[in-house]
Amino acid sequence: MGEVNLSQVMDRNRSFVDRIIEESGQDIRQCYQCAKCTGGCPGAVHMDYPPNQIIRMLMLGMKEEVLKSKTIWVCMGCNTCTTRCIRDIEVAGVMDILRQKAIKAGYIEHAKGVISFNDSFLWTVRSFGRLFEPGMAIINNVRLGNFMKDMQFGLPLMLKGKASMLPHRLKGRREMANIFKKTVQGGK
Amino acid sequence: MSKYALYPGCSMETGGIEYAISSDAIAEALGIDFLEVPDWNCCGASSAHMTDHLLSLALPARIMALAETLPVTEIVAPCAACHARMAAVEYELGRDNDLKQKVNSLLERPYTGKVKLKYYIDVFSNPDTLSQIEKSVKKPLEGLKVACYYGCLFVKPPKMVNFIDDPENPQSMDNIIRALGAEPIPWPYKTECCGASLGVTDEDLCNKLCNDILRFARDAGADCISAACPLCQANLDMRQVTVEKKYGISYRMPIPFFTQLIGLALGINPNSLGMKKLFVDPARMLKKLGVA
């Protein structure tokens, strides 16, 4: 019996898969589908494809399906999959690269909430140096057009003395601005 | 006297303020010196590493470079999410010199790697400090059943976060709780993710994960869940009412930080440990211990 190549990537998307392997530093071709990643994944119940299928789809060159999936946005990065992977693949690290690729490719149907949250979070970090939660919440809610979102937590946090009223301003603000400028082109 | 650089992180001044208060109180009692990193910035958390790889390394690298100005050899971050980001700096820049140079070109002060990241719980669970704690206990927490909750980011994956304990069934916090005279109960959700990073964007899933953790702790007979991360703690504590409503279960499970429990056993007044800052009232638990 001849050799069977189970990892035959569709030629069309070979370069995409190669880039994922290169950028994540993870040789996903080592995966033999034991599905331990999925067994331990706390988010799997809310995903459209479980993590092991995402890895298999990548090996088959299914670029659009993977980048458009809900899965990559449900992943919380808890690293249980990475910890348990018997083939030593950093599955959660691959998910990070896929999220960055999906944003660049404009596949953000399932990601509007996450992207809005991340951008609002990073806006306060870029502006002040530290996270300023009230500012983040307001910007996020304006972006999403949902002004009352999470407001049930605001008053209790204030009453417990757990909300900062004014942002702390860093001395190294210029350095911070430079970091953002040179990495995410001035932020969003 | 043990001395560490301390990276408090943004949550320690807001949602996790009682973690900061109690950490300071027990550090003073035990003679541990925490030197705050000067002019520290936000580590970028999951928002940075979902957005840009270089940004996610440059932000924590700036913190670690600033720590190198202090007379210390180790840095600690009480927040598991901050710890994980600094661990990524050590792991990735330690293996890749080109990447290290690229990150350093963004910083005013270069990161050399001479100040090493230490796992925060180990500040108290290392053999010397643990035996010191054991000797300093004034009010043993007798009869208190504690579910030790480590969360995910302190422990996973062990090769990247310098985790010195078992990532599936860690013992470091359990050993502290035992030294305080309380009983650390065996339970299966010690290192399961609570979903805090999805708190704003996918509440359904976040509520489910919190409910699973609360249910397993209750079924295992816990009087409280001892937390080690301000994000996990805020999620399980502040969100508990929402979870109870959604699932029709009443838990009323106090979620103290492990540093607060150490403080109680050392005989420090509950008010000096920020016990009143907890959302789920710990009164019943304190009464059981005879301190309220």
Side-chain angles (χ1 to χ4, degrees):
Chain A
M1 201 172 140
E3 194 177 282
V4 181
N5 184 0
L6 287 174
S7 313
Q8 209 158 43
V9 177
M10 283 173 1
D11 281 345
R12 188 162 54 90
N13 286 327
R14 188 184 293 275
S15 65
F16 170 73
V17 180
D18 287 346
R19 271 208 308 283
I20 297 289
I21 291 172
E22 191 194 322
E23 286 179 35
S24 64
Q26 302 306 310
D27 189 358
I28 53 171
R29 290 166 300 204
Q30 293 299 315
C31 170
Y32 54 44
Q33 290 292 312
C34 74
K36 265 178 103 171
C37 51
T38 296
C41 178
V45 286
H46 275 217
M47 292 172 173
D48 42 8
Y49 306 102
N52 66 304
Q53 283 188 22
I54 290 286
I55 299 293
R56 184 70 185 141
M57 286 158 77
L58 279 175
M59 282 159 64
L60 293 171
M62 296 165 75
K63 177 182 170 183
E64 277 79 24
E65 287 85 347
V66 168
L67 293 185
K68 283 180 184 167
S69 72
K70 192 177 166 201
T71 297
I72 59 177
W73 300 103
V74 173
C75 166
M76 292 158 275
C78 76
N79 282 319
T80 301
C81 48
T82 299
T83 302
R84 293 181 185 171
C85 180
I86 203 160
R87 303 298 286 159
D88 219 10
I89 297 168
E90 291 170 14
V91 185
V94 173
M95 294 289 177
D96 262 345
I97 300 285
L98 292 174
R99 279 188 283 260
Q100 292 165 15
K101 291 255 178 275
I103 293 174
K104 280 187 189 136
Y107 296 134
I108 51 171
E109 190 200 334
H110 299 294
K112 289 193 180 104
V114 180
I115 292 172
S116 166
F117 171 76
N118 289 345
D119 286 351
S120 310
F121 184 107
L122 292 175
W123 183 85
T124 73
V125 178
R126 182 166 62 98
S127 307
F128 309 117
R130 294 182 192 170
L131 172 63
F132 178 52
E133 282 156 338
M136 174 187 75
I138 290 166
I139 294 170
N140 190 40
N141 289 1
V142 170
R143 279 171 193 261
L144 297 173
N146 180 359
F147 299 101
M148 295 317 287
K149 184 173 159 42
D150 295 324
M151 284 301 137
Q152 74 273 25
F153 296 128
L155 187 64
L157 279 168
M158 276 197 285
L159 291 175
K160 287 279 181 189
K162 290 184 157 190
S164 50
M165 291 298 135
L166 285 171
H168 174 96
R169 291 175 82 85
L170 233 60
K171 285 191 208 121
R173 283 200 302 281
R174 265 191 26 211
E175 184 183 6
M176 290 292 284
N178 189 43
I179 292 173
F180 275 87
K181 199 173 146 197
K182 292 203 174 139
T183 52
V184 284
Q185 292 93 37
K188 281 168 205 157
Chain B
M1 191 167 180
S2 10
K3 204 188 259 184
Y4 307 99
L6 173 73
Y7 173 63
C10 307
S11 316
M12 294 293 267
E13 300 187 323
T14 54
I17 195 164
E18 63 269 49
Y19 197 8
I21 295 171
S22 55
S23 288
D24 285 349
I26 62 171
E28 199 187 322
L30 297 168
I32 296 166
D33 210 359
F34 287 131
L35 305 177
E36 190 168 318
V37 174
D39 204 43
W40 56 265
N41 54 277
C42 169
C43 72
S46 53
S47 291
H49 78 83
M50 279 190 195
T51 306
D52 186 86
H53 184 227
L54 204 55
L55 176 70
S56 75
L57 293 170
L59 293 174
R62 179 181 183 271
I63 300 161
M64 297 183 82
L66 288 168
E68 293 175 6
T69 62
L70 299 170
V72 293
T73 54
E74 289 174 307
I75 180 169
V76 292
C79 170
C82 306
H83 177 88
R85 293 324 304 155
M86 297 208 280
V89 169
E90 268 191 354
Y91 183 72
E92 292 195 38
L93 304 197
R95 294 193 308 178
D96 185 341
N97 211 31
D98 289 347
L99 187 61
K100 187 173 172 181
Q101 279 176 5
K102 218 164 153 188
V103 168
N104 275 341
S105 74
L106 300 169
L107 305 178
E108 280 176 16
R109 194 195 156 79
Y111 160 79
T112 70
K114 73 172 183 185
V115 173
K116 302 281 177 228
L117 180 65
K118 187 184 174 79
Y119 163 53
Y120 188 61
I121 295 175
D122 192 43
V123 168
F124 307 98
S125 66
N126 72 73
D128 289 346
T129 314
L130 194 63
S131 74
Q132 191 195 348
I133 291 176
E134 220 161 2
K135 282 178 215 143
S136 316
V137 168
K138 296 203 178 77
K139 289 193 172 165
L141 309 182
E142 268 162 28
L144 191 71
K145 292 187 173 178
V146 181
C148 292
Y149 181 60
Y150 297 73
C152 49
L153 294 178
F154 263 136
V155 305
K156 294 172 191 174
K159 68 173 176 188
M160 279 166 83
V161 296
N162 285 339
F163 193 59
I164 47 168
D165 204 342
D166 177 351
E168 302 289 354
N169 185 16
Q171 295 299 322
S172 40
M173 196 199 303
D174 291 61
N175 291 339
I176 297 174
I177 296 303
R178 202 172 289 114
L180 305 178
E183 183 192 341
I185 55 163
W187 69 305
Y189 267 49
K190 279 179 162 183
T191 66
E192 282 292 319
C193 176
C194 72
S197 70
L198 291 181
V200 179
T201 54
D202 188 349
E203 281 176 74
D204 264 3
L205 180 54
C206 184
N207 288 338
K208 179 203 174 283
L209 298 178
C210 285
N211 185 54
D212 289 346
I213 292 165
L214 291 164
R215 189 163 46 88
F216 271 110
R218 183 199 61 185
D219 291 352
D223 293 312
C224 68
I225 296 175
S226 168
C229 163
L231 303 180
C232 307
Q233 194 278 342
N235 208 23
L236 292 170
D237 189 22
M238 191 171 73
R239 191 176 288 282
Q240 203 173 121
V241 180
T242 313
V243 172
E244 288 177 327
K245 255 188 229 154
K246 185 180 171 191
Y247 290 90
I249 309 173
S250 170
Y251 293 113
R252 306 307 296 146
M253 178 73 74
I255 320 285
F257 286 99
F258 77 98
T259 46
Q260 291 179 303
L261 295 177
I262 296 177
L264 289 174
L266 296 180
I268 299 170
N269 187 308
N271 291 335
S272 308
L273 295 166
M275 294 303 286
K276 286 202 173 132
K277 299 273 183 193
L278 299 173
F279 283 100
V280 176
D281 190 355
R284 199 172 51 187
M285 178 189 108
L286 294 177
K287 204 170 157 196
K288 188 170 177 180
L289 295 172
V291 290

